[in-house]
Structures are given as C-alpha cells and as structure tokens.
Amino acid sequence: MFYSANSEKKNLMPHFDLALVWSVMLLMCLGLVMVYSASIAIAEAQFGVDGSGHYLIRQSLYLGVGLLLGFIAFQVPMYMWQKYATYLFLFGVLLLILVLMPGIGIEVNGSKRWVSLGVVNLQPSEFMKLFMVIYVASYVIRKADDLSSFTKGFLPMLAVMSLVGFLLLMEPDFGAFVVITTLAMCVLFLGGLSLKIFAGLIVSMGVGLYALILSAPYRLDRVSSFMDPWADPFGKGYQLSHALIAFGRGEWLGVGLGGSVEKLFYLPEAHTDFLLAVLAEELGFVGVAMVIALFVWLVFRAFVIGRRAAKLECHFAALVAQGIGIWIGMQALINMGVNMGVLPTKGLTLPLMSFGGSSITANCVALAVLLRVDWENRQRLRGNSV
C-alpha cells in the first residue's frame, strides 16, 4: 500500500485551529482571575467574608454552561444553521419583545434588558448578535443576485435592521444597537453589497447616530463627560476618571495581582464593563498589551477560517466565521476604548472576560460555531464528507 506525501500531510493535520483554541482559553482563564480580583471587595460587602468568591463561582458556572452549550452548538452542521437562520432570528426578535413586556422584562438602572429565568437573568441582545450574523449571512446567500439593487437587495434588510434597532432602543441598549447594526452592515459588505449603497448607508448611519445622541439627554451627557471627564470628576465624569486613574497607576508592569485600589468601591462596574481598567492597574501595560494581542489573534484566525471556507465554496460558513470575528473584535475594541477614555461610555462587556452569564454564554456558542466552520474546512481538505 502506497501513501502520497499529500495524504500524509492531510492525516497529520489537526482537527481544530489550536492557536485559536489556546487564545480563547487564555482569555477565559485570565478573565476568571480578573473577575475574582475585581469583585472581592464588593462580594465581601454584599455577602460577608465567606462570600468573597461569589462572583468567581457564578462566573465559573456561567462558563461551564457556556462550554456545554458550545459543545452542543459544535455538533450542528453549518447547513443546519443556514436552514434555520430565519427561525433563529425570529426567536431573537421574540425575546427582545418579551424584554419590553411588563412583568416579564427586568429593569436595572433604568434599562429593561433582561428576562428572568428563575436562578439567572437572560440578556437577549447578547444572543441577538449571533442570530443577526447567521441571518444576514443566510440572507446574502439567498439574495446574492440582488445585492446591487437597493429595492430588492438592501431595502428588506433595512426593514429588518430597523425593527431590531427599534426594539433595542426601547430598552434602551444603545451599545448593542451599535454593535448589531454595524455587524449586519459588515456582513452585507463582505457578501457583496454595492459599494454605493454601503457608502450611503455609512453616511445615513452616522447622521442617525448623531440624532440619537442629541435626542436623549443621558447619551449627550456621556459624550460630554467622555470629552472631558475631569470637568466633573465627581459627577458625570466619575466612572471614566477613575478608570483613567487605574490605567495611570498601572504604568508598565502594574501594582501586582490583587493590588488594585480602584476596585475598592471607587470604580463602578469594576468586574463587568470596566474589568480592563482593573487589569491595567494590576498587570500594567504588559497585561493590557497581552489582552489586545490575544483578541487581535482571535479576529485574525476567524478571518483566515472564513477565507478558507470561501475558497472551498462554503460561502455561508465563510460569512458566519468572519461575522463572528468582527463581532468579538468590535465589541472588545469598544469596551477597551471606553475603558481608556477613547470612546463614550457604553454598557458593553469585554468578550470572554467580563462577568456576565449571557455574554460569556453567547461568546462560547459563537466560538463553537466558528470552530465548526474550521472543522468542516479541515474535513473537506481531507476529502471527507460533512
């Protein structure tokens, strides 16, 4: 029996993108460490000394559930995701509607973004990000011949985006609105949307965002405080000013793991939206640079996987892979920008790291779908059917 060099190489090919897996695992593990460090003080204040690990335990459980759901999602072939894309999207819309219904949606700090599941609260907008990527990728494949037409190709998707955007702004969840609409636009562009339509959409979206900021006083306050947090450091600029203090204290190597002062009731949301600020204070520039490098690598691998799928003529899978990469990368970029004072404050978590059950679970499912695309690519390169 004779073996060719090519067949030997195919047999030696790993079943997964191991570099991607390791980068995800490192982000998750670092996230667990930092959630514990950032939440010790608030957990002790809420639950006593014996409850100092409350948020660590909950985050570990969320991560376990996320990995379990991710394992299940990995078993689903990509053609099934494409087949049921519309139903997933409609399910996501239903959840967004339930959030707004009295007695079902839970209001926290003036926003209705959660649905109670008994022991935990579900934030539908986190899962809607994945559903939108899958739905728009499916739409692009179905409407491939009409993407150059405004009325046939783009107008139906504009109606869909408007519906989702309206529901998100009713909560209100401006951060999720920005991420989801940008995601839809990016997937449409990657799928071949006319450049003229895309350029017009960018301009229209910019005008729309400007109008939305002016229409709500709290959004305008966030923008003004972001421009100069030191103008009102004990009021509108309180959160951002303390985040910047944390970055300043961290310098190159940080004050040491567990040594943050800002997490001691100075910096609000230290274990959720502003986890990176605590990390910067404790691990310094080196720690922040490592986190940024891991996210850049994750996004790069997602695009490599998508490009490989496109070469294998699996265009739906290619768009989904690249859409997931854009989602993780864009949300990480926005969260980092907010922490560093480069962007106005938004309620967006740092993917794979910040405390939050819906966020970490949705991230795990999305990355499982990305790994499924990679696995199917490798099976095809081996000559196996999927």
Side-chain angles (χ1 to χ4, degrees), residues 3 37 146:
Y3 297 93
S37 177
D146 298 322

Side-chain angles (χ1 to χ4, degrees), residues 137-161:
S138 171
Y139 179 87
V140 165
I141 301 303
R142 287 185 283 111
K143 296 280 188 176
D145 297 331
D146 298 322
L147 288 179
S148 58
S149 168
F150 180 81
T151 52
K152 292 182 180 180
F154 178 68
L155 204 56
M157 181 51 63
L158 180 61
V160 166
M161 291 166 60

Side-chain angles (χ1 to χ4, degrees), residues 16 69-77 81 368-369 371-373 375:
F16 302 103
L69 292 178
F71 176 78
I72 295 170
F74 179 81
Q75 310 305 315
V76 181
W81 290 106
V369 175
L371 283 174
R372 176 73 196 195
V373 175
W375 183 83

Side-chain angles (χ1 to χ4, degrees), residues 37 246 249 255-264 277-279 281-282:
S37 177
R249 290 192 75 245
V255 297
L257 188 61
S260 169
V261 172
E262 288 300 320
K263 69 184 181 185
L264 303 177
V278 178
L279 185 146
E281 186 178 2
E282 297 189 347

Side-chain angles (χ1 to χ4, degrees), residues 110-377:
S111 298
K112 274 191 172 183
R113 301 179 184 177
W114 297 269
V115 175
S116 177
L117 299 181
V119 252
V120 294
N121 296 329
L122 175 71
Q123 188 174 357
S125 59
E126 290 294 337
F127 292 91
M128 193 66 201
K129 295 167 188 174
L130 175 60
F131 297 159
M132 181 61 87
V133 168
I134 292 172
Y135 177 74
V136 178
S138 171
Y139 179 87
V140 165
I141 301 303
R142 287 185 283 111
K143 296 280 188 176
D145 297 331
D146 298 322
L147 288 179
S148 58
S149 168
F150 180 81
T151 52
K152 292 182 180 180
F154 178 68
L155 204 56
M157 181 51 63
L158 180 61
V160 166
M161 291 166 60
S162 299
L163 171 63
V164 174
F166 172 76
L167 292 172
L168 289 169
L169 291 175
M170 286 293 290
E171 296 182 8
D173 193 346
F174 189 67
F177 167 76
V178 171
V179 171
I180 289 175
T181 52
T182 306
L183 264 178
M185 289 168 50
C186 289
V187 176
L188 284 170
F189 179 72
L190 290 171
L193 181 69
S194 166
L195 188 58
K196 289 182 180 179
I197 297 175
F198 184 75
L201 183 60
I202 291 290
V203 174
S204 302
M205 186 176 179
V207 173
L209 289 176
Y210 181 71
L212 284 171
I213 290 170
L214 292 180
S215 66
Y218 82 93
R219 292 190 194 119
L220 195 57
D221 287 343
R222 285 185 176 182
V223 172
S224 61
S225 64
F226 141 74
M227 296 298 290
D228 185 10
W230 306 109
D232 187 12
F234 298 104
K236 298 174 185 177
Y238 180 82
Q239 196 170 30
L240 180 53
S241 62
H242 279 279
L244 294 176
I245 290 171
F247 272 89
R249 290 192 75 245
E251 297 184 348
W252 285 98
L253 299 176
V255 297
L257 188 61
S260 169
V261 172
E262 288 300 320
K263 69 184 181 185
L264 303 177
F265 309 105
Y266 292 104
L267 178 62
E269 310 296 338
H271 59 300
T272 54
D273 300 348
F274 282 83
L275 185 73
L276 187 70
V278 178
L279 185 146
E281 186 178 2
E282 297 189 347
L283 303 182
F285 173 82
V286 173
V288 174
M290 182 176 69
V291 170
I292 293 174
L294 288 171
F295 276 113
V296 168
W297 181 253
L298 192 159
V299 175
F300 172 72
R301 295 312 305 169
F303 270 79
V304 168
I305 290 168
R307 186 180 178 185
R308 187 178 295 160
K311 286 182 178 179
L312 293 169
E313 299 186 355
C314 303
H315 300 294
F316 169 76
L319 289 173
V320 170
Q322 292 173 345
I324 290 171
I326 292 170
W327 163 23
I328 300 295
M330 178 172 55
Q331 186 160 326
L333 182 65
I334 292 173
N335 179 275
M336 292 175 184
V338 168
N339 276 253
M340 297 177 187
V342 180
L343 294 172
T345 303
K346 292 180 180 67
L348 288 173
T349 57
L350 186 60
L352 300 171
M353 295 186 69
S354 291
F355 177 81
S358 298
S359 175
I360 196 73
T361 304
N363 293 160
C364 286
V365 173
L367 289 168
V369 175
L370 177 60
L371 283 174
R372 176 73 196 195
V373 175
D374 180 54
W375 183 83
E376 290 190 6
N377 287 345

